[in-house]
Amino acid sequence: MPWDARPGRSVNGGPEGAGSARLRVQKQCRKSSFAFYQAVRDLQPVWLLEDMRASEAFHWDERGRAAAYSPSEALLYALVHDHQAYAHYLLATFPRRALAPPSAGFRCCTAPGPHVALAVRYNRVGILRHILRTVRDFPLEERTRLLDRRGCSRVEGGGTSLHVACELARPECLFLLLGHGASPGLRDGGGFTPLELLLRQLSQDTSSAPAAAEAASATVHAATTSTTPPGELCQRRLLLLDLLALYTTEAAAGPARCELLGDRLRWQKLLGEDKFQWLAGLAPPSLFVRAMQVLVTTISPGRFPEALDELPLPPFLQPLDLTGKS
């Protein structure tokens, strides 16, 4: 190991104690760790980043030792700074190690690797596409564990990546996850499915008190969608609702259904009569929705989203850039 924490000689030539040696190594780790972070942030070439990661960049791990960055930890940096070339290299070269749980200093709990949820949170659609292409070759159980990862209940609210996509209004991310097999029926720490969470947010956004709706929207989206006009945000949520409907067979339940039935006129106007009737559990989905459900669910994860080009897509799906061609 290039950095030795054992006692040696101090700067003035005297013997160096174990505590001083430890502090020296910690200081070196902080410098090299920031240098690596800065290099990824500055989108430096992949060869340079890998040379740094393999031989120069170290961080202070939970065991109190200087440790090299793992492919998993490097991928987290690539996601944060949208370094697509580096993310693609890591996923192609270390497919399992890049998506493995990072060390304790890079995560808040023992849940599986947070990479999918982080890609959704930062809206890294290009990198998310590559992650999902990578996990196609994983065994079903391993793929499911990554796609349906539940975040830390204390920090992430116990939600899945689908909950994050609904919370932050990420339609491309949501559709990619659904098409690759993410489960829309799982509940977050508050007991909400993604569909019920979305209805709850739509209720806040379209509240009869505009000031209250604007404040709720600003609170939820301060970090990522603070400049999104309220009308556009509502349209994104309605698109998310349409996408979830393609992969959801059950109507809303519990508080969400009570909310729909408790303010029928407002919801009928917002959703349209057919969608309202289905979500409220008063009627089955329309023939159009059933037809689209059959079409999209016949596409295997191994052919999604490329196979969408073969389908007669409705207008609300056509603007979504899922393949990265545009």
Side-chain angles (χ1 to χ4, degrees):
M1 182 170 139
W3 296 351
D4 194 346
R6 292 173 299 182
R9 307 299 294 182
S10 64
V11 176
N12 59 14
E16 183 183 47
S20 298
R22 183 182 179 86
L23 290 175
R24 172 174 53 83
V25 174
Q26 285 181 321
K27 186 175 181 180
Q28 289 175 311
C29 278
R30 283 195 295 270
K31 287 183 178 179
S32 75
S33 179
F34 180 72
F36 181 63
Y37 174 88
Q38 191 174 41
V40 179
R41 182 199 65 189
D42 294 343
L43 306 182
Q44 294 296 329
V46 170
W47 68 265
L48 175 62
L49 296 174
E50 275 301 273
D51 188 57
M52 290 182 67
R53 187 181 72 80
S55 59
E56 297 179 21
F58 292 83
H59 63 93
W60 197 249
D61 70 9
E62 64 273 17
R63 295 166 296 181
R65 299 189 303 181
Y69 282 93
S70 70
S72 172
E73 293 150 3
L75 180 58
L76 292 177
Y77 281 178
L79 276 164
V80 170
H81 297 299
D82 201 19
H83 198 320
Q84 298 198 34
Y86 193 32
H88 293 182
Y89 170 84
L90 292 166
L91 289 163
T93 310
F94 316 101
R96 280 187 166 77
R97 292 174 60 197
L99 294 171
S103 62
F106 290 82
R107 52 188 166 89
C108 57
C109 62
T110 58
H115 305 86
V116 175
L118 193 68
V120 176
R121 187 165 295 281
Y122 281 87
N123 204 26
R124 306 306 191 206
V125 178
I127 299 178
L128 178 62
R129 279 196 302 264
H130 204 82
I131 290 175
L132 295 174
R133 282 197 294 267
T134 300
V135 303
R136 287 175 183 174
D137 298 326
F138 288 14
L140 177 60
E141 182 180 348
E142 188 176 356
R143 185 170 69 244
T144 301
R145 186 168 62 251
L146 287 169
L147 293 179
D148 291 342
R149 168 192 180 269
R150 294 177 184 273
C152 171
S153 59
R154 178 174 52 86
V155 177
E156 300 174 277
T160 66
S161 297
L162 291 178
H163 287 94
V164 177
C166 290
E167 175 193 350
L168 298 178
R170 310 278 197 232
E172 290 86 358
C173 294
L174 183 87
F175 201 13
L176 282 168
L177 290 167
L178 289 169
H180 282 85
S183 302
L186 299 179
R187 298 185 179 275
D188 63 10
F192 295 98
T193 65
L195 176 65
E196 292 163 355
L197 175 65
L198 196 54
L199 288 172
R200 186 187 188 197
Q201 291 178 317
L202 273 168
S203 177
Q204 294 173 346
D205 291 344
T206 59
S207 171
S208 57
E214 184 176 350
S217 175
T219 300
V220 174
H221 303 284
T224 55
T225 58
S226 58
T227 60
T228 304
E232 182 182 337
L233 184 60
C234 182
Q235 289 304 310
R236 285 192 196 176
R237 294 204 193 284
L238 291 172
L239 175 55
L240 288 163
L241 193 61
D242 286 334
L243 294 172
L244 277 170
L246 298 180
Y247 292 87
T248 304
T249 57
E250 297 182 359
R257 185 170 185 269
C258 292
E259 165 68 26
L260 290 170
L261 295 174
D263 197 350
R264 294 177 67 120
L265 291 178
R266 180 166 68 94
W267 284 107
Q268 286 170 327
K269 181 178 179 180
L270 179 65
L271 303 175
E273 184 63 25
D274 288 345
K275 196 181 301 179
F276 169 79
Q277 289 280 335
W278 172 65
L279 289 172
L282 303 176
S286 67
L287 289 177
F288 169 76
V289 171
R290 285 296 301 135
M292 287 303 302
Q293 286 176 336
V294 171
L295 281 175
V296 297
T297 53
T298 57
I299 303 175
S300 69
R303 299 186 64 239
F304 192 92
E306 295 82 4
L308 289 175
D309 291 338
E310 304 167 10
L311 301 180
L313 295 179
F316 74 86
L317 290 180
Q318 292 171 3
L320 294 178
D321 180 21
L322 300 180
T323 60
K325 293 179 180 178
S326 61

PDB file of all heavy atoms in Angstrom, residues 258-280:
ATOM      1  N   CYS A 258     -60.376   7.638  -1.496  1.00  0.00           N
ATOM      2  CA  CYS A 258     -61.252   8.554  -0.748  1.00  0.00           C
ATOM      3  C   CYS A 258     -61.106   9.982  -1.255  1.00  0.00           C
ATOM      4  O   CYS A 258     -62.089  10.724  -1.358  1.00  0.00           O
ATOM      5  CB  CYS A 258     -60.937   8.488   0.742  1.00  0.00           C
ATOM      6  SG  CYS A 258     -61.360   6.915   1.515  1.00  0.00           S
ATOM      7  N   GLU A 259     -59.848  10.356  -1.585  1.00  0.00           N
ATOM      8  CA  GLU A 259     -59.606  11.698  -2.110  1.00  0.00           C
ATOM      9  C   GLU A 259     -60.323  11.882  -3.449  1.00  0.00           C
ATOM     10  O   GLU A 259     -60.951  12.915  -3.702  1.00  0.00           O
ATOM     11  CB  GLU A 259     -58.102  11.908  -2.277  1.00  0.00           C
ATOM     12  CG  GLU A 259     -57.698  13.101  -3.135  1.00  0.00           C
ATOM     13  CD  GLU A 259     -58.022  14.440  -2.498  1.00  0.00           C
ATOM     14  OE1 GLU A 259     -58.092  14.486  -1.251  1.00  0.00           O
ATOM     15  OE2 GLU A 259     -58.200  15.416  -3.235  1.00  0.00           O
ATOM     16  N   LEU A 260     -60.230  10.875  -4.323  1.00  0.00           N
ATOM     17  CA  LEU A 260     -60.891  10.960  -5.628  1.00  0.00           C
ATOM     18  C   LEU A 260     -62.408  11.099  -5.477  1.00  0.00           C
ATOM     19  O   LEU A 260     -63.036  11.937  -6.122  1.00  0.00           O
ATOM     20  CB  LEU A 260     -60.565   9.719  -6.456  1.00  0.00           C
ATOM     21  CG  LEU A 260     -59.129   9.585  -6.965  1.00  0.00           C
ATOM     22  CD1 LEU A 260     -58.897   8.198  -7.546  1.00  0.00           C
ATOM     23  CD2 LEU A 260     -58.831  10.654  -8.006  1.00  0.00           C
ATOM     24  N   LEU A 261     -62.981  10.253  -4.631  1.00  0.00           N
ATOM     25  CA  LEU A 261     -64.425  10.268  -4.472  1.00  0.00           C
ATOM     26  C   LEU A 261     -64.913  11.471  -3.676  1.00  0.00           C
ATOM     27  O   LEU A 261     -66.057  11.900  -3.815  1.00  0.00           O
ATOM     28  CB  LEU A 261     -64.881   8.981  -3.782  1.00  0.00           C
ATOM     29  CG  LEU A 261     -64.648   7.690  -4.587  1.00  0.00           C
ATOM     30  CD1 LEU A 261     -65.009   6.467  -3.747  1.00  0.00           C
ATOM     31  CD2 LEU A 261     -65.456   7.718  -5.879  1.00  0.00           C
ATOM     32  N   GLY A 262     -64.038  12.034  -2.846  1.00  0.00           N
ATOM     33  CA  GLY A 262     -64.432  13.164  -2.010  1.00  0.00           C
ATOM     34  C   GLY A 262     -64.501  14.473  -2.770  1.00  0.00           C
ATOM     35  O   GLY A 262     -65.084  15.443  -2.274  1.00  0.00           O
ATOM     36  N   ASP A 263     -63.862  14.552  -3.935  1.00  0.00           N
ATOM     37  CA  ASP A 263     -63.891  15.786  -4.737  1.00  0.00           C
ATOM     38  C   ASP A 263     -64.053  15.393  -6.199  1.00  0.00           C
ATOM     39  O   ASP A 263     -63.199  15.653  -7.043  1.00  0.00           O
ATOM     40  CB  ASP A 263     -62.599  16.571  -4.511  1.00  0.00           C
ATOM     41  CG  ASP A 263     -62.710  18.024  -4.947  1.00  0.00           C
ATOM     42  OD1 ASP A 263     -63.722  18.368  -5.600  1.00  0.00           O
ATOM     43  OD2 ASP A 263     -61.791  18.807  -4.664  1.00  0.00           O
ATOM     44  N   ARG A 264     -65.149  14.747  -6.501  1.00  0.00           N
ATOM     45  CA  ARG A 264     -65.366  14.131  -7.813  1.00  0.00           C
ATOM     46  C   ARG A 264     -65.268  15.131  -8.955  1.00  0.00           C
ATOM     47  O   ARG A 264     -64.618  14.859  -9.976  1.00  0.00           O
ATOM     48  CB  ARG A 264     -66.732  13.442  -7.850  1.00  0.00           C
ATOM     49  CG  ARG A 264     -66.855  12.248  -6.931  1.00  0.00           C
ATOM     50  CD  ARG A 264     -68.262  11.680  -6.974  1.00  0.00           C
ATOM     51  NE  ARG A 264     -68.560  11.102  -8.280  1.00  0.00           N
ATOM     52  CZ  ARG A 264     -68.882   9.828  -8.461  1.00  0.00           C
ATOM     53  NH1 ARG A 264     -68.940   9.001  -7.426  1.00  0.00           N
ATOM     54  NH2 ARG A 264     -69.162   9.387  -9.653  1.00  0.00           N
ATOM     55  N   LEU A 265     -65.894  16.282  -8.814  1.00  0.00           N
ATOM     56  CA  LEU A 265     -65.939  17.233  -9.926  1.00  0.00           C
ATOM     57  C   LEU A 265     -64.546  17.704 -10.319  1.00  0.00           C
ATOM     58  O   LEU A 265     -64.213  17.796 -11.509  1.00  0.00           O
ATOM     59  CB  LEU A 265     -66.825  18.426  -9.557  1.00  0.00           C
ATOM     60  CG  LEU A 265     -68.331  18.133  -9.439  1.00  0.00           C
ATOM     61  CD1 LEU A 265     -69.089  19.387  -9.024  1.00  0.00           C
ATOM     62  CD2 LEU A 265     -68.872  17.598 -10.764  1.00  0.00           C
ATOM     63  N   ARG A 266     -63.734  18.026  -9.317  1.00  0.00           N
ATOM     64  CA  ARG A 266     -62.370  18.500  -9.621  1.00  0.00           C
ATOM     65  C   ARG A 266     -61.560  17.411 -10.303  1.00  0.00           C
ATOM     66  O   ARG A 266     -60.861  17.659 -11.287  1.00  0.00           O
ATOM     67  CB  ARG A 266     -61.673  18.953  -8.334  1.00  0.00           C
ATOM     68  CG  ARG A 266     -60.255  19.466  -8.562  1.00  0.00           C
ATOM     69  CD  ARG A 266     -59.749  20.209  -7.332  1.00  0.00           C
ATOM     70  NE  ARG A 266     -59.551  19.336  -6.192  1.00  0.00           N
ATOM     71  CZ  ARG A 266     -58.375  18.771  -5.888  1.00  0.00           C
ATOM     72  NH1 ARG A 266     -57.309  18.981  -6.643  1.00  0.00           N
ATOM     73  NH2 ARG A 266     -58.269  18.014  -4.820  1.00  0.00           N
ATOM     74  N   TRP A 267     -61.637  16.170  -9.791  1.00  0.00           N
ATOM     75  CA  TRP A 267     -60.858  15.090 -10.372  1.00  0.00           C
ATOM     76  C   TRP A 267     -61.381  14.681 -11.749  1.00  0.00           C
ATOM     77  O   TRP A 267     -60.601  14.331 -12.642  1.00  0.00           O
ATOM     78  CB  TRP A 267     -60.853  13.882  -9.427  1.00  0.00           C
ATOM     79  CG  TRP A 267     -59.933  14.070  -8.263  1.00  0.00           C
ATOM     80  CD1 TRP A 267     -60.288  14.306  -6.973  1.00  0.00           C
ATOM     81  CD2 TRP A 267     -58.510  14.050  -8.294  1.00  0.00           C
ATOM     82  NE1 TRP A 267     -59.170  14.423  -6.186  1.00  0.00           N
ATOM     83  CE2 TRP A 267     -58.066  14.278  -6.962  1.00  0.00           C
ATOM     84  CE3 TRP A 267     -57.564  13.876  -9.292  1.00  0.00           C
ATOM     85  CZ2 TRP A 267     -56.717  14.323  -6.619  1.00  0.00           C
ATOM     86  CZ3 TRP A 267     -56.208  13.924  -8.964  1.00  0.00           C
ATOM     87  CH2 TRP A 267     -55.803  14.144  -7.642  1.00  0.00           C
ATOM     88  N   GLN A 268     -62.685  14.715 -11.954  1.00  0.00           N
ATOM     89  CA  GLN A 268     -63.228  14.396 -13.275  1.00  0.00           C
ATOM     90  C   GLN A 268     -62.751  15.402 -14.315  1.00  0.00           C
ATOM     91  O   GLN A 268     -62.436  15.037 -15.448  1.00  0.00           O
ATOM     92  CB  GLN A 268     -64.763  14.371 -13.213  1.00  0.00           C
ATOM     93  CG  GLN A 268     -65.321  13.142 -12.509  1.00  0.00           C
ATOM     94  CD  GLN A 268     -66.805  13.253 -12.243  1.00  0.00           C
ATOM     95  OE1 GLN A 268     -67.317  14.348 -11.994  1.00  0.00           O
ATOM     96  NE2 GLN A 268     -67.498  12.131 -12.275  1.00  0.00           N
ATOM     97  N   LYS A 269     -62.699  16.665 -13.915  1.00  0.00           N
ATOM     98  CA  LYS A 269     -62.231  17.699 -14.834  1.00  0.00           C
ATOM     99  C   LYS A 269     -60.733  17.536 -15.130  1.00  0.00           C
ATOM    100  O   LYS A 269     -60.295  17.712 -16.273  1.00  0.00           O
ATOM    101  CB  LYS A 269     -62.499  19.083 -14.226  1.00  0.00           C
ATOM    102  CG  LYS A 269     -62.075  20.239 -15.120  1.00  0.00           C
ATOM    103  CD  LYS A 269     -62.411  21.580 -14.464  1.00  0.00           C
ATOM    104  CE  LYS A 269     -61.958  22.730 -15.353  1.00  0.00           C
ATOM    105  NZ  LYS A 269     -62.264  24.062 -14.732  1.00  0.00           N
ATOM    106  N   LEU A 270     -59.967  17.185 -14.119  1.00  0.00           N
ATOM    107  CA  LEU A 270     -58.511  17.064 -14.293  1.00  0.00           C
ATOM    108  C   LEU A 270     -58.130  15.813 -15.076  1.00  0.00           C
ATOM    109  O   LEU A 270     -57.277  15.862 -15.970  1.00  0.00           O
ATOM    110  CB  LEU A 270     -57.837  17.038 -12.910  1.00  0.00           C
ATOM    111  CG  LEU A 270     -56.316  16.884 -12.900  1.00  0.00           C
ATOM    112  CD1 LEU A 270     -55.647  18.100 -13.530  1.00  0.00           C
ATOM    113  CD2 LEU A 270     -55.815  16.695 -11.466  1.00  0.00           C
ATOM    114  N   LEU A 271     -58.757  14.686 -14.742  1.00  0.00           N
ATOM    115  CA  LEU A 271     -58.346  13.396 -15.296  1.00  0.00           C
ATOM    116  C   LEU A 271     -59.142  12.972 -16.526  1.00  0.00           C
ATOM    117  O   LEU A 271     -58.661  12.149 -17.318  1.00  0.00           O
ATOM    118  CB  LEU A 271     -58.479  12.300 -14.233  1.00  0.00           C
ATOM    119  CG  LEU A 271     -57.713  12.504 -12.927  1.00  0.00           C
ATOM    120  CD1 LEU A 271     -58.064  11.392 -11.945  1.00  0.00           C
ATOM    121  CD2 LEU A 271     -56.221  12.554 -13.176  1.00  0.00           C
ATOM    122  N   GLY A 272     -60.333  13.495 -16.681  1.00  0.00           N
ATOM    123  CA  GLY A 272     -61.247  12.967 -17.685  1.00  0.00           C
ATOM    124  C   GLY A 272     -62.089  11.863 -17.065  1.00  0.00           C
ATOM    125  O   GLY A 272     -61.666  11.192 -16.121  1.00  0.00           O
ATOM    126  N   GLU A 273     -63.300  11.674 -17.624  1.00  0.00           N
ATOM    127  CA  GLU A 273     -64.246  10.764 -16.997  1.00  0.00           C
ATOM    128  C   GLU A 273     -63.758   9.323 -16.967  1.00  0.00           C
ATOM    129  O   GLU A 273     -63.864   8.640 -15.945  1.00  0.00           O
ATOM    130  CB  GLU A 273     -65.599  10.844 -17.722  1.00  0.00           C
ATOM    131  CG  GLU A 273     -66.694  10.001 -17.090  1.00  0.00           C
ATOM    132  CD  GLU A 273     -67.039  10.451 -15.674  1.00  0.00           C
ATOM    133  OE1 GLU A 273     -66.808  11.634 -15.346  1.00  0.00           O
ATOM    134  OE2 GLU A 273     -67.539   9.618 -14.894  1.00  0.00           O
ATOM    135  N   ASP A 274     -63.209   8.809 -18.089  1.00  0.00           N
ATOM    136  CA  ASP A 274     -62.789   7.403 -18.138  1.00  0.00           C
ATOM    137  C   ASP A 274     -61.698   7.097 -17.121  1.00  0.00           C
ATOM    138  O   ASP A 274     -61.766   6.100 -16.386  1.00  0.00           O
ATOM    139  CB  ASP A 274     -62.289   7.041 -19.547  1.00  0.00           C
ATOM    140  CG  ASP A 274     -63.422   6.945 -20.551  1.00  0.00           C
ATOM    141  OD1 ASP A 274     -64.590   6.876 -20.113  1.00  0.00           O
ATOM    142  OD2 ASP A 274     -63.134   6.942 -21.766  1.00  0.00           O
ATOM    143  N   LYS A 275     -60.695   7.974 -17.070  1.00  0.00           N
ATOM    144  CA  LYS A 275     -59.581   7.737 -16.152  1.00  0.00           C
ATOM    145  C   LYS A 275     -60.041   7.869 -14.702  1.00  0.00           C
ATOM    146  O   LYS A 275     -59.610   7.095 -13.837  1.00  0.00           O
ATOM    147  CB  LYS A 275     -58.437   8.705 -16.437  1.00  0.00           C
ATOM    148  CG  LYS A 275     -57.114   8.318 -15.816  1.00  0.00           C
ATOM    149  CD  LYS A 275     -56.035   9.345 -16.128  1.00  0.00           C
ATOM    150  CE  LYS A 275     -55.853   9.494 -17.619  1.00  0.00           C
ATOM    151  NZ  LYS A 275     -54.818  10.503 -17.953  1.00  0.00           N
ATOM    152  N   PHE A 276     -60.895   8.834 -14.437  1.00  0.00           N
ATOM    153  CA  PHE A 276     -61.410   8.991 -13.084  1.00  0.00           C
ATOM    154  C   PHE A 276     -62.179   7.751 -12.645  1.00  0.00           C
ATOM    155  O   PHE A 276     -61.988   7.249 -11.538  1.00  0.00           O
ATOM    156  CB  PHE A 276     -62.320  10.220 -12.983  1.00  0.00           C
ATOM    157  CG  PHE A 276     -63.083  10.288 -11.690  1.00  0.00           C
ATOM    158  CD1 PHE A 276     -62.480  10.738 -10.530  1.00  0.00           C
ATOM    159  CD2 PHE A 276     -64.415   9.856 -11.626  1.00  0.00           C
ATOM    160  CE1 PHE A 276     -63.171  10.774  -9.329  1.00  0.00           C
ATOM    161  CE2 PHE A 276     -65.119   9.893 -10.436  1.00  0.00           C
ATOM    162  CZ  PHE A 276     -64.494  10.349  -9.284  1.00  0.00           C
ATOM    163  N   GLN A 277     -63.051   7.253 -13.510  1.00  0.00           N
ATOM    164  CA  GLN A 277     -63.869   6.090 -13.166  1.00  0.00           C
ATOM    165  C   GLN A 277     -62.988   4.888 -12.838  1.00  0.00           C
ATOM    166  O   GLN A 277     -63.249   4.152 -11.876  1.00  0.00           O
ATOM    167  CB  GLN A 277     -64.801   5.749 -14.338  1.00  0.00           C
ATOM    168  CG  GLN A 277     -65.918   6.740 -14.565  1.00  0.00           C
ATOM    169  CD  GLN A 277     -67.076   6.537 -13.603  1.00  0.00           C
ATOM    170  OE1 GLN A 277     -67.289   5.451 -13.079  1.00  0.00           O
ATOM    171  NE2 GLN A 277     -67.826   7.601 -13.348  1.00  0.00           N
ATOM    172  N   TRP A 278     -61.909   4.695 -13.629  1.00  0.00           N
ATOM    173  CA  TRP A 278     -61.031   3.543 -13.377  1.00  0.00           C
ATOM    174  C   TRP A 278     -60.243   3.719 -12.092  1.00  0.00           C
ATOM    175  O   TRP A 278     -60.184   2.826 -11.246  1.00  0.00           O
ATOM    176  CB  TRP A 278     -60.077   3.334 -14.556  1.00  0.00           C
ATOM    177  CG  TRP A 278     -59.047   2.290 -14.245  1.00  0.00           C
ATOM    178  CD1 TRP A 278     -59.269   0.965 -14.023  1.00  0.00           C
ATOM    179  CD2 TRP A 278     -57.642   2.491 -14.081  1.00  0.00           C
ATOM    180  NE1 TRP A 278     -58.084   0.321 -13.741  1.00  0.00           N
ATOM    181  CE2 TRP A 278     -57.064   1.237 -13.769  1.00  0.00           C
ATOM    182  CE3 TRP A 278     -56.800   3.595 -14.181  1.00  0.00           C
ATOM    183  CZ2 TRP A 278     -55.703   1.070 -13.551  1.00  0.00           C
ATOM    184  CZ3 TRP A 278     -55.437   3.419 -13.976  1.00  0.00           C
ATOM    185  CH2 TRP A 278     -54.916   2.181 -13.656  1.00  0.00           C
ATOM    186  N   LEU A 279     -59.614   4.890 -11.905  1.00  0.00           N
ATOM    187  CA  LEU A 279     -58.781   5.107 -10.724  1.00  0.00           C
ATOM    188  C   LEU A 279     -59.603   5.057  -9.437  1.00  0.00           C
ATOM    189  O   LEU A 279     -59.111   4.602  -8.396  1.00  0.00           O
ATOM    190  CB  LEU A 279     -58.062   6.453 -10.834  1.00  0.00           C
ATOM    191  CG  LEU A 279     -56.941   6.524 -11.873  1.00  0.00           C
ATOM    192  CD1 LEU A 279     -56.435   7.951 -12.016  1.00  0.00           C
ATOM    193  CD2 LEU A 279     -55.792   5.597 -11.497  1.00  0.00           C
ATOM    194  N   ALA A 280     -60.832   5.489  -9.511  1.00  0.00           N
ATOM    195  CA  ALA A 280     -61.691   5.469  -8.323  1.00  0.00           C
ATOM    196  C   ALA A 280     -62.317   4.100  -8.083  1.00  0.00           C
ATOM    197  O   ALA A 280     -63.040   3.911  -7.094  1.00  0.00           O
ATOM    198  CB  ALA A 280     -62.785   6.521  -8.461  1.00  0.00           C
TER     199      ALA A 280
END
